[in-house]
PDB file of all heavy atoms in Angstrom:
ATOM      1  N   HIS A  33     102.613 100.269 126.928  1.00  0.00           N
ATOM      2  CA  HIS A  33     102.708  99.777 128.310  1.00  0.00           C
ATOM      3  C   HIS A  33     104.043 100.125 128.963  1.00  0.00           C
ATOM      4  O   HIS A  33     104.359  99.612 130.034  1.00  0.00           O
ATOM      5  CB  HIS A  33     102.445  98.269 128.350  1.00  0.00           C
ATOM      6  CG  HIS A  33     101.072  97.908 127.867  1.00  0.00           C
ATOM      7  ND1 HIS A  33      99.929  98.215 128.554  1.00  0.00           N
ATOM      8  CD2 HIS A  33     100.671  97.299 126.728  1.00  0.00           C
ATOM      9  CE1 HIS A  33      98.875  97.801 127.871  1.00  0.00           C
ATOM     10  NE2 HIS A  33      99.299  97.235 126.753  1.00  0.00           N
ATOM     11  N   HIS A  34     104.823 100.955 128.285  1.00  0.00           N
ATOM     12  CA  HIS A  34     106.079 101.481 128.852  1.00  0.00           C
ATOM     13  C   HIS A  34     107.037 100.366 129.284  1.00  0.00           C
ATOM     14  O   HIS A  34     107.644 100.428 130.341  1.00  0.00           O
ATOM     15  CB  HIS A  34     105.790 102.407 130.037  1.00  0.00           C
ATOM     16  CG  HIS A  34     104.668 103.349 129.797  1.00  0.00           C
ATOM     17  ND1 HIS A  34     104.796 104.456 128.988  1.00  0.00           N
ATOM     18  CD2 HIS A  34     103.377 103.339 130.225  1.00  0.00           C
ATOM     19  CE1 HIS A  34     103.628 105.097 128.953  1.00  0.00           C
ATOM     20  NE2 HIS A  34     102.755 104.444 129.685  1.00  0.00           N
ATOM     21  N   ARG A  35     107.181  99.352 128.434  1.00  0.00           N
ATOM     22  CA  ARG A  35     108.056  98.223 128.753  1.00  0.00           C
ATOM     23  C   ARG A  35     109.435  98.434 128.151  1.00  0.00           C
ATOM     24  O   ARG A  35     109.572  98.677 126.956  1.00  0.00           O
ATOM     25  CB  ARG A  35     107.467  96.929 128.215  1.00  0.00           C
ATOM     26  CG  ARG A  35     106.165  96.553 128.862  1.00  0.00           C
ATOM     27  CD  ARG A  35     105.751  95.178 128.381  1.00  0.00           C
ATOM     28  NE  ARG A  35     104.356  94.956 128.660  1.00  0.00           N
ATOM     29  CZ  ARG A  35     103.509  94.383 127.828  1.00  0.00           C
ATOM     30  NH1 ARG A  35     103.929  93.933 126.664  1.00  0.00           N
ATOM     31  NH2 ARG A  35     102.260  94.227 128.150  1.00  0.00           N
ATOM     32  N   ASP A  36     110.433  98.287 128.991  1.00  0.00           N
ATOM     33  CA  ASP A  36     111.815  98.400 128.516  1.00  0.00           C
ATOM     34  C   ASP A  36     112.228  97.111 127.823  1.00  0.00           C
ATOM     35  O   ASP A  36     111.768  96.027 128.161  1.00  0.00           O
ATOM     36  CB  ASP A  36     112.772  98.652 129.680  1.00  0.00           C
ATOM     37  CG  ASP A  36     112.554 100.006 130.331  1.00  0.00           C
ATOM     38  OD1 ASP A  36     111.821 100.826 129.751  1.00  0.00           O
ATOM     39  OD2 ASP A  36     113.112 100.241 131.406  1.00  0.00           O
ATOM     40  N   GLY A  37     113.128  97.242 126.885  1.00  0.00           N
ATOM     41  CA  GLY A  37     113.692  96.092 126.191  1.00  0.00           C
ATOM     42  C   GLY A  37     114.575  96.572 125.063  1.00  0.00           C
ATOM     43  O   GLY A  37     114.222  97.519 124.355  1.00  0.00           O
ATOM     44  N   PHE A  38     115.724  95.974 124.910  1.00  0.00           N
ATOM     45  CA  PHE A  38     116.658  96.284 123.827  1.00  0.00           C
ATOM     46  C   PHE A  38     117.111  97.737 123.844  1.00  0.00           C
ATOM     47  O   PHE A  38     117.261  98.361 122.803  1.00  0.00           O
ATOM     48  CB  PHE A  38     116.046  95.947 122.469  1.00  0.00           C
ATOM     49  CG  PHE A  38     115.610  94.527 122.348  1.00  0.00           C
ATOM     50  CD1 PHE A  38     114.267  94.194 122.350  1.00  0.00           C
ATOM     51  CD2 PHE A  38     116.540  93.517 122.256  1.00  0.00           C
ATOM     52  CE1 PHE A  38     113.863  92.878 122.256  1.00  0.00           C
ATOM     53  CE2 PHE A  38     116.152  92.200 122.163  1.00  0.00           C
ATOM     54  CZ  PHE A  38     114.808  91.883 122.159  1.00  0.00           C
ATOM     55  N   GLY A  39     117.286  98.282 125.008  1.00  0.00           N
ATOM     56  CA  GLY A  39     117.733  99.662 125.116  1.00  0.00           C
ATOM     57  C   GLY A  39     116.629 100.679 124.871  1.00  0.00           C
ATOM     58  O   GLY A  39     116.869 101.879 124.882  1.00  0.00           O
ATOM     59  N   LEU A  40     115.426 100.207 124.641  1.00  0.00           N
ATOM     60  CA  LEU A  40     114.287 101.097 124.456  1.00  0.00           C
ATOM     61  C   LEU A  40     113.712 101.402 125.840  1.00  0.00           C
ATOM     62  O   LEU A  40     112.721 100.817 126.265  1.00  0.00           O
ATOM     63  CB  LEU A  40     113.242 100.446 123.548  1.00  0.00           C
ATOM     64  CG  LEU A  40     113.752 100.048 122.166  1.00  0.00           C
ATOM     65  CD1 LEU A  40     112.720  99.239 121.417  1.00  0.00           C
ATOM     66  CD2 LEU A  40     114.153 101.266 121.371  1.00  0.00           C
ATOM     67  N   ASP A  41     114.355 102.319 126.523  1.00  0.00           N
ATOM     68  CA  ASP A  41     114.022 102.570 127.914  1.00  0.00           C
ATOM     69  C   ASP A  41     113.321 103.903 128.149  1.00  0.00           C
ATOM     70  O   ASP A  41     113.186 104.353 129.279  1.00  0.00           O
ATOM     71  CB  ASP A  41     115.279 102.473 128.783  1.00  0.00           C
ATOM     72  CG  ASP A  41     116.410 103.353 128.273  1.00  0.00           C
ATOM     73  OD1 ASP A  41     116.208 104.090 127.286  1.00  0.00           O
ATOM     74  OD2 ASP A  41     117.502 103.293 128.862  1.00  0.00           O
ATOM     75  N   THR A  42     112.866 104.524 127.064  1.00  0.00           N
ATOM     76  CA  THR A  42     112.052 105.734 127.195  1.00  0.00           C
ATOM     77  C   THR A  42     110.881 105.625 126.214  1.00  0.00           C
ATOM     78  O   THR A  42     110.959 104.904 125.203  1.00  0.00           O
ATOM     79  CB  THR A  42     112.837 107.022 126.865  1.00  0.00           C
ATOM     80  OG1 THR A  42     113.163 107.025 125.473  1.00  0.00           O
ATOM     81  CG2 THR A  42     114.104 107.146 127.704  1.00  0.00           C
ATOM     82  N   ASP A  43     109.825 106.350 126.526  1.00  0.00           N
ATOM     83  CA  ASP A  43     108.680 106.338 125.613  1.00  0.00           C
ATOM     84  C   ASP A  43     109.058 106.874 124.237  1.00  0.00           C
ATOM     85  O   ASP A  43     108.567 106.389 123.224  1.00  0.00           O
ATOM     86  CB  ASP A  43     107.525 107.161 126.200  1.00  0.00           C
ATOM     87  CG  ASP A  43     106.820 106.434 127.332  1.00  0.00           C
ATOM     88  OD1 ASP A  43     106.950 105.199 127.424  1.00  0.00           O
ATOM     89  OD2 ASP A  43     106.126 107.112 128.113  1.00  0.00           O
ATOM     90  N   MET A  44     109.939 107.856 124.192  1.00  0.00           N
ATOM     91  CA  MET A  44     110.343 108.426 122.903  1.00  0.00           C
ATOM     92  C   MET A  44     111.084 107.389 122.060  1.00  0.00           C
ATOM     93  O   MET A  44     110.814 107.243 120.861  1.00  0.00           O
ATOM     94  CB  MET A  44     111.212 109.669 123.105  1.00  0.00           C
ATOM     95  CG  MET A  44     111.619 110.315 121.792  1.00  0.00           C
ATOM     96  SD  MET A  44     110.232 110.750 120.716  1.00  0.00           S
ATOM     97  CE  MET A  44     109.649 112.220 121.511  1.00  0.00           C
ATOM     98  N   LYS A  45     111.989 106.651 122.655  1.00  0.00           N
ATOM     99  CA  LYS A  45     112.716 105.616 121.907  1.00  0.00           C
ATOM    100  C   LYS A  45     111.750 104.546 121.403  1.00  0.00           C
ATOM    101  O   LYS A  45     111.869 104.088 120.259  1.00  0.00           O
ATOM    102  CB  LYS A  45     113.791 104.970 122.782  1.00  0.00           C
ATOM    103  CG  LYS A  45     114.972 105.860 123.069  1.00  0.00           C
ATOM    104  CD  LYS A  45     115.950 105.135 123.975  1.00  0.00           C
ATOM    105  CE  LYS A  45     117.127 106.003 124.380  1.00  0.00           C
ATOM    106  NZ  LYS A  45     118.019 105.295 125.313  1.00  0.00           N
ATOM    107  N   ARG A  46     110.820 104.140 122.259  1.00  0.00           N
ATOM    108  CA  ARG A  46     109.855 103.121 121.844  1.00  0.00           C
ATOM    109  C   ARG A  46     108.950 103.654 120.731  1.00  0.00           C
ATOM    110  O   ARG A  46     108.587 102.925 119.813  1.00  0.00           O
ATOM    111  CB  ARG A  46     109.044 102.655 123.051  1.00  0.00           C
ATOM    112  CG  ARG A  46     109.864 101.837 124.038  1.00  0.00           C
ATOM    113  CD  ARG A  46     109.020 101.300 125.182  1.00  0.00           C
ATOM    114  NE  ARG A  46     108.674 102.308 126.156  1.00  0.00           N
ATOM    115  CZ  ARG A  46     109.363 102.583 127.262  1.00  0.00           C
ATOM    116  NH1 ARG A  46     110.460 101.898 127.538  1.00  0.00           N
ATOM    117  NH2 ARG A  46     108.962 103.511 128.104  1.00  0.00           N
ATOM    118  N   PHE A  47     108.595 104.938 120.809  1.00  0.00           N
ATOM    119  CA  PHE A  47     107.745 105.550 119.798  1.00  0.00           C
ATOM    120  C   PHE A  47     108.475 105.645 118.450  1.00  0.00           C
ATOM    121  O   PHE A  47     107.914 105.294 117.410  1.00  0.00           O
ATOM    122  CB  PHE A  47     107.291 106.943 120.265  1.00  0.00           C
ATOM    123  CG  PHE A  47     106.409 107.643 119.285  1.00  0.00           C
ATOM    124  CD1 PHE A  47     105.099 107.234 119.104  1.00  0.00           C
ATOM    125  CD2 PHE A  47     106.880 108.713 118.545  1.00  0.00           C
ATOM    126  CE1 PHE A  47     104.271 107.876 118.191  1.00  0.00           C
ATOM    127  CE2 PHE A  47     106.067 109.362 117.631  1.00  0.00           C
ATOM    128  CZ  PHE A  47     104.753 108.947 117.453  1.00  0.00           C
ATOM    129  N   VAL A  48     109.698 106.097 118.474  1.00  0.00           N
ATOM    130  CA  VAL A  48     110.479 106.230 117.238  1.00  0.00           C
ATOM    131  C   VAL A  48     110.638 104.868 116.568  1.00  0.00           C
ATOM    132  O   VAL A  48     110.572 104.748 115.343  1.00  0.00           O
ATOM    133  CB  VAL A  48     111.850 106.888 117.531  1.00  0.00           C
ATOM    134  CG1 VAL A  48     112.783 106.783 116.337  1.00  0.00           C
ATOM    135  CG2 VAL A  48     111.655 108.349 117.922  1.00  0.00           C
ATOM    136  N   ARG A  49     110.794 103.835 117.362  1.00  0.00           N
ATOM    137  CA  ARG A  49     110.951 102.490 116.805  1.00  0.00           C
ATOM    138  C   ARG A  49     109.754 102.075 115.961  1.00  0.00           C
ATOM    139  O   ARG A  49     109.895 101.307 115.001  1.00  0.00           O
ATOM    140  CB  ARG A  49     111.147 101.491 117.939  1.00  0.00           C
ATOM    141  CG  ARG A  49     111.278 100.080 117.418  1.00  0.00           C
ATOM    142  CD  ARG A  49     111.466  99.162 118.574  1.00  0.00           C
ATOM    143  NE  ARG A  49     111.679  97.829 118.105  1.00  0.00           N
ATOM    144  CZ  ARG A  49     111.039  96.795 118.588  1.00  0.00           C
ATOM    145  NH1 ARG A  49     110.178  96.949 119.560  1.00  0.00           N
ATOM    146  NH2 ARG A  49     111.289  95.599 118.128  1.00  0.00           N
ATOM    147  N   LEU A  50     108.583 102.554 116.303  1.00  0.00           N
ATOM    148  CA  LEU A  50     107.380 102.187 115.557  1.00  0.00           C
ATOM    149  C   LEU A  50     107.501 102.532 114.070  1.00  0.00           C
ATOM    150  O   LEU A  50     106.931 101.858 113.225  1.00  0.00           O
ATOM    151  CB  LEU A  50     106.148 102.878 116.149  1.00  0.00           C
ATOM    152  CG  LEU A  50     105.799 102.516 117.588  1.00  0.00           C
ATOM    153  CD1 LEU A  50     104.629 103.361 118.071  1.00  0.00           C
ATOM    154  CD2 LEU A  50     105.496 101.033 117.731  1.00  0.00           C
ATOM    155  N   PHE A  51     108.259 103.570 113.755  1.00  0.00           N
ATOM    156  CA  PHE A  51     108.384 104.009 112.371  1.00  0.00           C
ATOM    157  C   PHE A  51     109.334 103.139 111.554  1.00  0.00           C
ATOM    158  O   PHE A  51     109.404 103.279 110.329  1.00  0.00           O
ATOM    159  CB  PHE A  51     108.816 105.481 112.327  1.00  0.00           C
ATOM    160  CG  PHE A  51     107.754 106.386 112.877  1.00  0.00           C
ATOM    161  CD1 PHE A  51     107.796 106.793 114.199  1.00  0.00           C
ATOM    162  CD2 PHE A  51     106.690 106.778 112.080  1.00  0.00           C
ATOM    163  CE1 PHE A  51     106.798 107.606 114.718  1.00  0.00           C
ATOM    164  CE2 PHE A  51     105.693 107.593 112.595  1.00  0.00           C
ATOM    165  CZ  PHE A  51     105.749 108.013 113.913  1.00  0.00           C
ATOM    166  N   PHE A  52     110.047 102.239 112.204  1.00  0.00           N
ATOM    167  CA  PHE A  52     110.950 101.353 111.470  1.00  0.00           C
ATOM    168  C   PHE A  52     110.221 100.140 110.892  1.00  0.00           C
ATOM    169  O   PHE A  52     110.715  99.510 109.960  1.00  0.00           O
ATOM    170  CB  PHE A  52     112.123 100.921 112.353  1.00  0.00           C
ATOM    171  CG  PHE A  52     113.120 102.021 112.546  1.00  0.00           C
ATOM    172  CD1 PHE A  52     113.080 102.825 113.671  1.00  0.00           C
ATOM    173  CD2 PHE A  52     114.079 102.289 111.571  1.00  0.00           C
ATOM    174  CE1 PHE A  52     113.979 103.864 113.836  1.00  0.00           C
ATOM    175  CE2 PHE A  52     114.979 103.329 111.724  1.00  0.00           C
ATOM    176  CZ  PHE A  52     114.929 104.118 112.864  1.00  0.00           C
ATOM    177  N   GLN A  53     109.068  99.809 111.422  1.00  0.00           N
ATOM    178  CA  GLN A  53     108.328  98.659 110.908  1.00  0.00           C
ATOM    179  C   GLN A  53     107.923  98.857 109.446  1.00  0.00           C
ATOM    180  O   GLN A  53     108.108  97.939 108.648  1.00  0.00           O
ATOM    181  CB  GLN A  53     107.115  98.385 111.796  1.00  0.00           C
ATOM    182  CG  GLN A  53     106.741  96.940 111.851  1.00  0.00           C
ATOM    183  CD  GLN A  53     107.741  96.083 112.594  1.00  0.00           C
ATOM    184  OE1 GLN A  53     108.644  96.563 113.263  1.00  0.00           O
ATOM    185  NE2 GLN A  53     107.596  94.792 112.487  1.00  0.00           N
ATOM    186  N   PRO A  54     107.407 100.019 109.053  1.00  0.00           N
ATOM    187  CA  PRO A  54     107.119 100.217 107.619  1.00  0.00           C
ATOM    188  C   PRO A  54     108.376 100.120 106.748  1.00  0.00           C
ATOM    189  O   PRO A  54     108.304  99.661 105.609  1.00  0.00           O
ATOM    190  CB  PRO A  54     106.517 101.619 107.552  1.00  0.00           C
ATOM    191  CG  PRO A  54     105.977 101.861 108.922  1.00  0.00           C
ATOM    192  CD  PRO A  54     106.902 101.122 109.861  1.00  0.00           C
ATOM    193  N   VAL A  55     109.515 100.512 107.290  1.00  0.00           N
ATOM    194  CA  VAL A  55     110.776 100.400 106.541  1.00  0.00           C
ATOM    195  C   VAL A  55     111.094  98.927 106.293  1.00  0.00           C
ATOM    196  O   VAL A  55     111.488  98.543 105.181  1.00  0.00           O
ATOM    197  CB  VAL A  55     111.930 101.102 107.290  1.00  0.00           C
ATOM    198  CG1 VAL A  55     113.266 100.828 106.625  1.00  0.00           C
ATOM    199  CG2 VAL A  55     111.665 102.600 107.398  1.00  0.00           C
ATOM    200  N   LEU A  56     110.910  98.097 107.314  1.00  0.00           N
ATOM    201  CA  LEU A  56     111.158  96.657 107.151  1.00  0.00           C
ATOM    202  C   LEU A  56     110.193  96.048 106.136  1.00  0.00           C
ATOM    203  O   LEU A  56     110.586  95.212 105.313  1.00  0.00           O
ATOM    204  CB  LEU A  56     111.040  95.938 108.497  1.00  0.00           C
ATOM    205  CG  LEU A  56     112.111  96.266 109.523  1.00  0.00           C
ATOM    206  CD1 LEU A  56     111.778  95.627 110.866  1.00  0.00           C
ATOM    207  CD2 LEU A  56     113.476  95.826 109.037  1.00  0.00           C
ATOM    208  N   ILE A  57     108.942  96.459 106.195  1.00  0.00           N
ATOM    209  CA  ILE A  57     107.951  95.959 105.230  1.00  0.00           C
ATOM    210  C   ILE A  57     108.368  96.355 103.810  1.00  0.00           C
ATOM    211  O   ILE A  57     108.373  95.521 102.903  1.00  0.00           O
ATOM    212  CB  ILE A  57     106.547  96.500 105.571  1.00  0.00           C
ATOM    213  CG1 ILE A  57     106.053  95.862 106.881  1.00  0.00           C
ATOM    214  CG2 ILE A  57     105.556  96.239 104.438  1.00  0.00           C
ATOM    215  CD1 ILE A  57     104.825  96.524 107.480  1.00  0.00           C
ATOM    216  N   GLY A  58     108.734  97.607 103.641  1.00  0.00           N
ATOM    217  CA  GLY A  58     109.169  98.069 102.323  1.00  0.00           C
ATOM    218  C   GLY A  58     110.413  97.353 101.834  1.00  0.00           C
ATOM    219  O   GLY A  58     110.503  96.982 100.656  1.00  0.00           O
ATOM    220  N   LEU A  59     111.373  97.141 102.729  1.00  0.00           N
ATOM    221  CA  LEU A  59     112.606  96.445 102.347  1.00  0.00           C
ATOM    222  C   LEU A  59     112.311  95.003 101.945  1.00  0.00           C
ATOM    223  O   LEU A  59     112.881  94.502 100.972  1.00  0.00           O
ATOM    224  CB  LEU A  59     113.625  96.485 103.494  1.00  0.00           C
ATOM    225  CG  LEU A  59     114.977  95.836 103.219  1.00  0.00           C
ATOM    226  CD1 LEU A  59     115.664  96.471 102.014  1.00  0.00           C
ATOM    227  CD2 LEU A  59     115.861  95.923 104.456  1.00  0.00           C
ATOM    228  N   ALA A  60     111.423  94.335 102.661  1.00  0.00           N
ATOM    229  CA  ALA A  60     111.067  92.958 102.314  1.00  0.00           C
ATOM    230  C   ALA A  60     110.460  92.888 100.913  1.00  0.00           C
ATOM    231  O   ALA A  60     110.796  92.001 100.123  1.00  0.00           O
ATOM    232  CB  ALA A  60     110.102  92.386 103.348  1.00  0.00           C
ATOM    233  N   LEU A  61     109.585  93.826 100.604  1.00  0.00           N
ATOM    234  CA  LEU A  61     108.931  93.819  99.291  1.00  0.00           C
ATOM    235  C   LEU A  61     109.889  94.263  98.183  1.00  0.00           C
ATOM    236  O   LEU A  61     109.943  93.635  97.120  1.00  0.00           O
ATOM    237  CB  LEU A  61     107.699  94.721  99.322  1.00  0.00           C
ATOM    238  CG  LEU A  61     106.578  94.272 100.264  1.00  0.00           C
ATOM    239  CD1 LEU A  61     105.496  95.326 100.345  1.00  0.00           C
ATOM    240  CD2 LEU A  61     106.014  92.920  99.841  1.00  0.00           C
TER     241      LEU A  61
END
C-alpha cells in the first residue's frame, strides 16, 4: 500500500525490509 514509516519511504526500501523477517525468525529460534 506504499505506506511510509520508519524511513521506509520507497517501495524498494519497504521490499528489502521483507527479507529481514525470516532473519528475526531464525534468530529467535
Side-chain angles (χ1 to χ4, degrees):
H33 299 291
H34 316 285
R35 295 187 197 138
D36 293 349
F38 303 107
L40 302 172
D41 53 3
T42 67
D43 285 340
M44 182 56 77
K45 288 178 184 177
R46 290 184 285 267
F47 180 73
V48 168
R49 179 180 184 228
L50 298 175
F51 294 95
F52 286 96
Q53 211 69 11
V55 172
L56 292 173
I57 291 168
L59 182 58
L61 296 173

